[in-house]
Amino acid sequence: MLLASMLSLHVWGQTKLTAQQQNQILEKIEKAASASTSMQCDFTQTKSMKLLSKEMQSKGMMYFKQPNKLRWQYTSPYDYTFIMNGDKVTMKSSKSTQNIDVQGNKIFRQITKIILNCITGGGLRSAADFQVEVYKSDNGYFAKLYPKKKELKQLYQVIEITFNQQLTMVSGVKMVEKTGDVTTVKLLNVKNNPSINESTFAVR
Amino acid sequence: MKARLLFVNLLLFCCLVSCFAQDVSSKDYNLFMQIRGREITALCVMEVKADSTIVGTVVNEFGVKAFDFSFANGKAKVFNMIAFLDKWYIRKVLRGDFSFILSNIGSGRDAVKKKRRLTVLSNGDICVSNDRYNIHYTFTPMSSKP
């Protein structure tokens, strides 16, 4: 019993950092984020829903180039590609291709900003849309982002960004929706500063 | 005696496992919606319970929920709708459309009811039209590619 309690404390042990410690950690992450000019990785996405007994799992590839070029491509079990290139976004599925100008769409502008923050870990100190809390756990550091604005509050309770041990990049993102459903994204096989062809981010 | 008890236990265990295995079956679809000229792609995941009740969800490819639904006794309910869709008239249309869709989607046959039509294409796609509101749904069974 005692051993079980100790183990559970060990697993669940997480400490909220003081404002000063938080600032230092986020500064370190932002420095690493701004030093990274490009990034490429695989990802897995798992969604667990209160209503359904099984989880939805998908996977794909991600390419990112500073300051705002992103290709987020699902390859299994469905094909779907999201490309952001500055203010332009293209979403391609097997049945349709849609182009959006982010400047003219407030929700989309917020979502693309969140995606970029979640991928690089940068911009968290000045994130006006969220109240940010940083925690230390046995596995390293993670940030909890509580939405401040109405539009985001309607979508998410909290977004958790986990950083790698060296605090140089994001290793995973967990998004908890208002309904309690949880989407977890893990970044795998991360390559920092690879050379990525511009055509990867081509939008129509 | 021990061996017999062990055999009975094993038999019970196997029965229990097979009961639970048959408890729920799930179907995953890529969903393509055309609403008065606007196009939306999403995923529709549903589970058919042992009592034939259906529960499911419609989410976008990033996993953000649009709405949940349930279906029992020929009637669908929609709930947990994303804020910007959560209007009584949208809920009403979706409730009607999903009652029709979920009544017929498993039959493998075409169906018509008033202004709603369901067509099963040779490639496996299931197309549903609500002619009154000019809404079209295409359900494409999701491949189980690894």
Side-chain angles (χ1 to χ4, degrees), chain A residues 45 47 49 51-54 56 58-59 72 74-80 82 93 95-98 107 115 154-156 175 177 179 181 183, chain B residues 24 26 28 30 32 39-41 43 45 47 49 55-57 59 61-65 68-69 79-80 82-83 125 138 140 142-143 145-146:
Chain A
Q45 180 178 300
K47 185 171 178 71
M49 288 159 287
L51 196 65
L52 302 180
S53 57
K54 72 161 195 174
M56 284 172 74
S58 49
K59 59 184 181 180
W72 189 269
Y74 292 90
T75 54
S76 170
Y78 49 88
D79 295 312
Y80 182 81
F82 174 95
S93 71
K95 290 239 173 358
S96 99
T97 299
Q98 292 177 63
I107 289 188
I115 293 173
Q154 286 169 340
L155 279 179
Y156 299 112
M175 291 161 279
E177 287 177 37
T179 54
D181 291 358
T183 306
Chain B
V24 171
S26 74
D28 302 349
N30 283 106
F32 177 56
E39 295 181 341
I40 301 168
T41 62
L43 311 171
V45 180
E47 284 180 356
K49 308 283 185 193
V55 291
T57 190
V59 297
E61 289 80 353
F62 289 97
V64 179
K65 185 197 298 288
D68 289 329
F69 58 85
F79 47 98
N80 291 334
I82 193 166
D125 282 7
T138 305
T140 304
M142 217 182 278
S143 65
K145 67 175 178 176

Side-chain angles (χ1 to χ4, degrees), chain A:
Chain A
M1 184 79 165
L2 184 66
L3 185 66
S5 311
M6 283 167 71
L7 276 173
S8 116
L9 274 177
H10 184 70
V11 169
W12 298 107
Q14 50 180 250
T15 318
K16 189 179 166 191
L17 302 191
T18 63
Q20 195 189 352
Q21 289 170 327
Q22 174 167 321
N23 210 34
Q24 282 171 355
I25 294 296
L26 292 181
E27 196 178 347
K28 194 172 177 189
I29 292 161
E30 274 177 27
K31 234 181 211 172
S34 57
S36 165
T37 55
S38 62
M39 187 177 155
Q40 180 182 331
C41 68
D42 300 326
F43 69 85
T44 61
Q45 180 178 300
T46 306
K47 185 171 178 71
S48 58
M49 288 159 287
K50 288 199 159 176
L51 196 65
L52 302 180
S53 57
K54 72 161 195 174
E55 292 181 328
M56 284 172 74
Q57 293 187 320
S58 49
K59 59 184 181 180
M61 295 171 293
M62 188 278 283
Y63 304 86
F64 168 72
K65 213 171 195 178
Q66 288 278 22
N68 49 18
K69 290 178 184 172
L70 172 73
R71 184 186 182 98
W72 189 269
Q73 183 172 5
Y74 292 90
T75 54
S76 170
Y78 49 88
D79 295 312
Y80 182 81
T81 307
F82 174 95
I83 302 171
M84 176 165 60
N85 193 334
D87 290 336
K88 305 273 183 253
V89 165
T90 290
M91 293 174 288
K92 280 185 213 171
S93 71
S94 55
K95 290 239 173 358
S96 99
T97 299
Q98 292 177 63
N99 299 302
I100 289 172
D101 190 336
V102 176
Q103 278 310 318
N105 190 319
K106 192 179 165 192
I107 289 188
F108 234 91
R109 208 164 53 234
Q110 286 179 333
I111 288 172
T112 51
K113 201 169 150 191
I114 296 170
I115 293 173
L116 287 180
N117 283 352
C118 288
I119 288 166
T120 63
L124 291 179
R125 274 193 307 165
S126 55
D129 299 342
F130 297 97
Q131 180 199 327
V132 181
E133 293 176 358
V134 180
Y135 291 79
K136 185 177 184 343
S137 74
D138 296 339
N139 301 321
Y141 292 91
F142 66 95
K144 286 188 180 183
L145 281 66
Y146 294 94
K148 283 185 192 168
K149 292 190 175 168
K150 192 182 153 198
E151 296 90 349
L152 292 174
K153 269 187 183 170
Q154 286 169 340
L155 279 179
Y156 299 112
Q157 271 180 40
V158 62
I159 298 174
E160 284 182 25
I161 302 179
T162 309
F163 305 101
N164 68 351
Q165 295 276 5
Q166 301 77 31
L167 289 174
T168 50
M169 60 180 72
V170 170
S171 59
V173 181
K174 180 175 159 186
M175 291 161 279
V176 182
E177 287 177 37
K178 230 174 87 179
T179 54
D181 291 358
V182 179
T183 306
T184 308
V185 177
K186 285 183 183 161
L187 305 183
L188 311 161
N189 309 321
V190 180
K191 287 181 193 160
N192 214 357
N193 296 326
S195 159
I196 305 173
N197 196 309
E198 277 299 314
S199 63
T200 309
F201 308 104
V203 291
R204 277 190 191 176

Side-chain angles (χ1 to χ4, degrees), chain B:
Chain B
M1 184 66 177
K2 262 187 182 174
R4 204 171 290 172
L5 272 173
L6 198 67
F7 176 71
V8 171
N9 273 339
L10 193 66
L11 204 66
L12 274 171
F13 176 71
C14 289
C15 286
L16 275 172
V17 166
S18 71
C19 281
F20 280 118
Q22 286 168 9
D23 197 25
V24 171
S25 70
S26 74
K27 287 173 184 170
D28 302 349
Y29 297 92
N30 283 106
L31 173 59
F32 177 56
M33 288 176 73
Q34 292 161 294
I35 306 167
R36 297 179 181 181
R38 294 189 67 179
E39 295 181 341
I40 301 168
T41 62
L43 311 171
C44 178
V45 180
M46 58 181 90
E47 284 180 356
V48 185
K49 308 283 185 193
D51 63 356
S52 300
T53 304
I54 300 173
V55 291
T57 190
V58 174
V59 297
N60 76 0
E61 289 80 353
F62 289 97
V64 179
K65 185 197 298 288
F67 60 90
D68 289 329
F69 58 85
S70 66
F71 177 77
N73 305 318
K75 298 250 184 239
K77 287 179 186 167
V78 294
F79 47 98
N80 291 334
M81 293 194 75
I82 193 166
F84 72 88
L85 287 179
D86 199 10
K87 317 277 183 221
W88 68 267
Y89 47 89
I90 296 178
R91 282 199 303 271
K92 188 182 168 197
V93 172
L94 283 173
R95 211 162 46 226
D97 287 350
F98 271 73
S99 290
F100 174 69
I101 291 164
L102 296 169
S103 296
N104 296 291
I105 200 165
S107 72
R109 291 192 304 268
D110 294 357
V112 180
K113 190 178 178 186
K114 293 182 182 169
K115 296 281 184 184
R116 295 185 175 99
R117 286 177 288 118
L118 181 144
T119 314
V120 182
L121 304 184
S122 55
N123 65 0
D125 282 7
I126 297 156
C127 299
V128 180
S129 295
N130 177 334
D131 293 334
R132 183 170 178 195
Y133 294 106
N134 194 17
I135 303 173
H136 304 276
Y137 306 80
T138 305
F139 291 84
T140 304
M142 217 182 278
S143 65
S144 52
K145 67 175 178 176

